[in-house]
Amino acid sequence: MTKNKKKKKYAPYLFLLPFFLIYGTFNLFPALYSLLISFTKWNGVNEMTFIGLDNYIRLFTSDTMFRKALFNTVLFLCIGMPLQVITGLLLAVLLKSLNDRARSAFQLLNFLPYLTIPVSIGILFQILFDWKYGAVNMLLQGMHLMKEPVNWLGTAAGARTITVLLAYWKYFGYMMVIFLAGLSTIPDELYEAADIDGARWKDKFFRIILPLLRPIITFVVTTSIMGGFQFFDEPKLLFSGLSKTALGGPDRSVLTVIMYFYNVTFERFEYGYGAAIAYGLFVIIFIISLMSMRAMTGGDRK
């Protein structure tokens, strides 16, 4: 009986052991090792040179490229996230009132862009907004809304606009699905009681839907902030294959922090400084995410 008890006691840990081994090998160890690298100067070949906090001092004081990338990232986040959240919430509320078949069809159509691989989206928007043969320019000229084609991807303002539009088109469907899941948890009795009291649609939205969806909204906003600071695939692939295009597009207008990290680490082979960028971004994401969560949940405290 004693041996059987010991086997039962240690059996769960034996089943969990493979997970912890894999996690420690492929997640925890690389993270800790990259933290060590961030205090060194290393190109991946020669011997590491310990330089202390020099990489972090350079990152936050003298690296103008990092400040440019951080500004672009925050700009895309501040413009794109509210549009995605508001559109996703309004669409979810509208789809909730439809029958199951119509709701499923519209939900699939709006969610498909999120399932599309980034390479396809980058190529699609390159074709749509091409200067000479793009469908958007041809359509606008055919409608006599402009005389000359617009070089959408050749100017800083145009490149930023297309990047925001691309990210918005891809991610608002994801927001909609999350909000639909949250709306399904609200009891129908609350809507029926509101109808009996003569409440209008606006009253239901602000007094029932928004308060009860507050945890979902907090989750969506927080995860959007984390994802927004890691914005990389869309701006990178939007300009891939275009000749004579500088890093980050015209005037580096769509250069993001992760794009800059990729350039420093895997194109310039400054592994120490690249690791410092990664951990500097981690600190920024942690602080801003914590502030947003406290701001959105602070009203619950007494």
Side-chain angles (χ1 to χ4, degrees):
M1 292 295 295
T2 305
K3 290 183 178 180
N4 290 334
K5 287 183 178 179
K6 287 184 178 180
K7 289 181 180 180
K8 291 180 180 180
K9 180 180 179 181
Y10 293 109
Y13 299 102
L14 292 176
F15 282 108
L16 290 173
L17 184 60
F19 166 76
F20 285 109
L21 288 176
I22 294 173
Y23 179 81
T25 303
F26 296 102
N27 292 85
L28 185 60
F29 174 74
L32 296 176
Y33 189 61
S34 62
L35 178 61
L36 172 65
I37 294 175
S38 68
F39 297 105
T40 67
K41 183 178 182 181
W42 186 45
N43 62 1
V45 178
N46 298 330
E47 186 178 352
M48 290 184 187
T49 303
F50 181 78
I51 57 175
L53 295 175
D54 288 357
N55 283 330
Y56 292 96
I57 294 172
R58 171 189 170 189
L59 180 67
F60 290 107
T61 59
S62 61
D63 192 342
T64 57
M65 190 79 75
F66 175 76
R67 287 199 291 268
K68 179 77 171 180
L70 185 61
F71 170 79
N72 292 335
T73 304
V74 173
L75 179 66
F76 293 143
L77 179 63
C78 292
I79 296 175
M81 184 189 68
L83 292 175
Q84 295 165 16
V85 172
I86 292 172
T87 304
L89 178 59
L90 293 179
L91 275 177
V93 173
L94 292 175
L95 292 181
K96 184 70 168 59
S97 61
L98 300 178
N99 59 62
D100 292 341
R101 182 173 296 180
R103 181 167 63 248
S104 299
F106 282 105
Q107 183 176 339
L108 176 62
L109 288 175
N110 289 311
F111 192 66
L112 276 177
Y114 181 75
L115 300 177
T116 307
I117 60 175
V119 175
S120 300
I121 296 178
I123 294 174
L124 174 63
F125 273 73
Q126 279 186 17
I127 296 173
L128 288 175
F129 293 96
D130 183 74
W131 182 18
K132 296 182 179 180
Y133 308 107
V136 174
N137 278 338
M138 290 184 178
L139 179 63
L140 294 176
Q141 286 180 292
M143 297 173 64
H144 302 288
L145 296 178
M146 64 182 190
K147 296 181 179 180
E148 299 293 331
V150 177
N151 188 6
W152 299 99
L153 301 178
T155 62
R160 281 174 173 164
T161 301
I162 302 307
T163 302
V164 171
L165 179 63
L166 188 156
Y168 167 76
W169 176 75
K170 180 177 180 180
Y171 290 105
F172 79 85
Y174 166 78
M175 308 286 185
M176 177 199 67
V177 171
I178 297 297
F179 286 126
L180 271 173
L183 287 172
S184 65
T185 63
I186 299 178
D188 293 333
E189 290 79 4
L190 294 177
Y191 298 116
E192 295 171 359
D195 290 332
I196 294 173
D197 292 337
R200 296 171 296 177
W201 183 88
K202 181 179 67 174
D203 299 323
K204 295 178 186 178
F205 183 78
F206 286 102
R207 295 181 180 274
I208 297 177
I209 294 175
L210 282 185
L212 294 180
L213 283 184
R214 187 173 180 180
I216 304 295
I217 295 174
T218 302
F219 167 79
V220 167
V221 170
T222 304
T223 55
S224 297
I225 291 174
M226 295 178 182
F229 275 101
Q230 301 174 63
F231 194 39
F232 172 72
D233 293 340
E234 289 78 9
K236 177 70 175 176
L237 294 169
L238 185 62
F239 291 93
S240 63
L242 297 181
S243 59
K244 299 180 181 179
T245 302
L247 175 67
D251 195 27
R252 308 195 189 281
S253 55
V254 296
L255 177 68
T256 63
V257 176
I258 295 297
M259 192 186 298
Y260 181 51
F261 160 77
Y262 180 88
N263 173 259
V264 169
T265 307
F266 301 109
E267 294 179 358
R268 290 160 45 182
F269 302 106
E270 298 182 33
Y271 290 111
Y273 191 57
I277 294 175
Y279 271 92
L281 181 61
F282 166 76
V283 172
I284 294 173
I285 293 175
F286 177 78
I287 293 174
I288 295 181
S289 299
L290 187 62
M291 291 171 59
S292 68
M293 289 183 64
R294 287 188 174 181
M296 299 191 69
T297 60
D300 296 336
R301 298 179 181 178
K302 295 182 179 180

